[in-house]
Amino acid sequence: MAGLEIAVQPTVIDWVLPQIRNDHIDHNLIGRLQSWKNGTKKPTFNQLEEASKKTHIPFGYFLLKKPPVEKISMVNYRTIDSSSFHDPSRNLIDTIDQMEMIQDWMNEYLQEEGADPLDFVGSVKKPYDVSEISSRIRRALNVDTAWYSEVSTPQDAFRWWRHKLTRLGILVFLSGTVGSNTHRKLDLQEFRGFALVDDYAPLIFINSADTYTGRLFSLIHENVHIWLGDNSLFNRLDWQDGALRETETICNAVAAELLVPEREFLHLWDTSIDLYTCMEDLAKTFHCSKFVIARRALDLDAITKAAYKELTYRFYEEFLQLKREGKTKKSGGDYYATQRYRLDSRFVEALNASVNTGRTQSTEAYRLTGMNRNTFVKLLSKMGDGVW
């Protein structure tokens, strides 16, 4: 089998090559794929396995008579329309597949446990009212308009809101890589997060390549999508423009009201100091990015459109400078701390209970979490230490 040569269709190789255009693939593999395409060589079984592993393209795709047609429904829910998102990366595809697999498992588990569907999922109907939606979400989460006074940093704020959402029944996952594979980094330019609506196991995934303030806004934005019953692929960065769907405009407005309530904002708005300093102070107070504060000020008629454009341009230049200096990156830290942060605690607890009762095989648990036996067992042992 190892030395058996296998015919691969040139049209399939034509489909494969663009799929790996953004990956760090060695030139030898690219040359090999080209030789398979033009017929000067035929791959062996082992060579096809190696190509599949390095390109992250399923092995079976190489054996097809025609190029595969992948229907990635989540692309239809992207925040802003862009030709680059009609052809999502393998990293995004595999991340969505992993989260859908987890959601399906959790849905089945909860129904077997006799859980009721979550009544807030898809409960918001047209006509949309930002104030009413915000109030409903605050009541459900037991959140006050002065929530920001309970935390001290954007990282704490993210954990605080995440805890509120998970207690409500929403699964929240976070990673900057595909599973635990540190060589497959998620591209922030492609997406910041996504939401998968489900009556029993609604799920939010956050791209941790983003800043802490960015993660926080994405989390709240995606939560609103769940209340609207609308899947979402959030691919709009703070400084980007682009036509938005109606639901995106509503989700942005509600997220802004939840994080930076109008009453609190206007109370703290200080015209006695220069505009930039005021923005900086408010961003620290609400644990949000300065982009969010500037947008809030514009929407509440506290600044002009011209001032808004000038400020956001300055904020963007600051971001680029920080990126050049490498200050936007976060260290990986302890492996198990990273996994605890990445995985949803309620999901891990349910998976562990299901394995212990024999309803779920251990191998399935390892597949769902992207871990092996030793790391999964050690992670479970740390759960008893109050790590979540």
Side-chain angles (χ1 to χ4, degrees), residues 337-351:
T338 300
Q339 296 307 311
R340 295 194 301 269
Y341 192 50
R342 181 175 73 87
L343 297 168
D344 181 270
S345 60
R346 200 163 59 95
F347 163 69
V348 175
E349 290 166 357
L351 187 59

Side-chain angles (χ1 to χ4, degrees), residues 158-169:
F158 181 89
R159 293 182 184 274
W160 189 87
W161 279 98
R162 182 183 189 179
H163 179 68
K164 293 285 186 180
L165 296 181
T166 55
R167 289 193 64 181
L168 194 64

Side-chain angles (χ1 to χ4, degrees), residues 158 174-176 186-189 191-193 206-219 234 236-239 289 291 319 328-330 341:
F158 181 89
L174 182 140
S175 184
L186 300 177
D187 185 2
L188 188 61
Q189 295 289 335
F191 80 107
R192 297 178 73 172
I206 301 297
N207 186 347
S208 64
D210 208 347
T211 60
Y212 285 121
T213 56
R215 297 175 200 180
L216 176 59
F217 188 83
S218 296
L219 179 68
F234 193 25
R236 184 174 186 263
L237 297 173
D238 289 324
W239 50 86
S289 73
F291 291 99
F319 173 84
T328 59
K329 294 185 178 181
K330 307 292 184 290
Y341 192 50

